[in-house]
Amino acid sequence: MLKRTVDDNARDDKAAMLHQLLKLTNRLMAPFSTHLSHRYRISLNEFRMLMSIGALGQTASHELAETTGVNVMSVSRAVATLERHGRIEVVPDPKNRRRKWLTLTEEGRRLYEAMRPQTGKVADYLFSDLSEAETTQLARILTHLIDTLEATDEQGRSLFLERTKPE
């Protein structure tokens, strides 16, 4: 008979928490899927990019990838679709030819303003049962977890990807 160790139980508990975080992420998308995606004909990644560009005012694709945690290829696809639908404008940076500035068009601003209150409603509902101290603690924990996932070694490689490689 195989005997389980304390380390095995702790690893199982952490894996269960990871699955809870994934479930939380999926549940958070329900209001978007139910109320926004069909109404505004916008995908989840397009929504994320549009809302980020709207909040930042002007940004570049690589900055969107860093800000949102979405991979560069997905950002590129979302940006191309937003531009094709007239929701953002892509303008070369005269100081750096490789950089392209992304800004909302008039249509993009209209859409951003229409969808922004929904983000607030979701946040208000999600955190409504937490005290101010719990909200502050959660913010610290989330920042710490994101910092852990974004840490790099001396060569700039992701420690997360390096340390989670399959054997």
Side-chain angles (χ1 to χ4, degrees):
M1 183 161 95
L2 186 64
K3 186 175 180 181
R4 294 189 53 82
T5 66
V6 173
D7 287 344
D8 290 335
N9 290 334
R11 181 172 280 133
D12 288 348
D13 290 346
K14 289 176 183 175
M17 280 193 291
L18 175 62
H19 288 285
Q20 285 182 296
L21 285 171
L22 294 170
K23 182 178 181 178
L24 175 65
T25 302
N26 291 332
R27 293 279 191 232
L28 282 170
M29 295 304 105
F32 169 79
S33 300
T34 302
H35 304 300
L36 301 177
S37 69
H38 296 300
R39 180 185 299 172
Y40 297 110
R41 300 183 199 278
I42 190 167
S43 74
L44 177 60
N45 277 338
E46 291 163 31
F47 169 75
R48 287 178 176 167
M49 299 311 117
L50 183 101
M51 297 310 285
S52 295
I53 295 167
L56 296 168
Q58 181 184 53
T59 190
S61 290
H62 71 278
E63 292 166 344
L64 279 179
E66 289 174 25
T67 301
T68 63
V70 174
N71 72 55
V72 175
M73 183 59 76
S74 294
V75 169
S76 179
R77 284 189 203 115
V79 163
T81 303
L82 288 169
E83 183 181 25
R84 189 170 54 251
H85 290 134
R87 294 171 171 174
I88 65 168
E89 182 178 25
V90 179
V91 179
D93 181 347
K95 297 175 186 172
N96 180 347
R97 292 183 186 173
R98 294 186 318 184
R99 178 191 299 258
K100 293 180 181 160
W101 289 115
L102 311 175
T103 56
L104 297 181
T105 61
E106 187 175 321
E107 169 63 13
R109 272 189 293 286
R110 183 193 66 73
L111 194 55
Y112 172 76
E113 292 300 331
M115 293 189 305
R116 191 170 60 163
Q118 185 64 29
T119 302
K121 283 181 180 179
V122 170
D124 288 347
Y125 182 83
L126 179 62
F127 301 118
S128 64
D129 289 340
L130 296 180
S131 68
E132 188 175 329
E134 289 169 324
T135 303
T136 301
Q137 182 180 18
L138 178 60
R140 277 195 298 266
I141 291 169
L142 291 173
T143 298
H144 182 75
L145 291 173
I146 290 168
D147 289 347
T148 299
L149 293 174
E150 292 180 345
T152 57
D153 65 13
E154 300 81 30
Q155 288 81 36
R157 293 180 302 224
S158 166
L159 291 176
F160 174 57
L161 292 178
E162 290 297 317
R163 293 180 182 170
T164 58
K165 282 182 186 177
E167 299 189 24

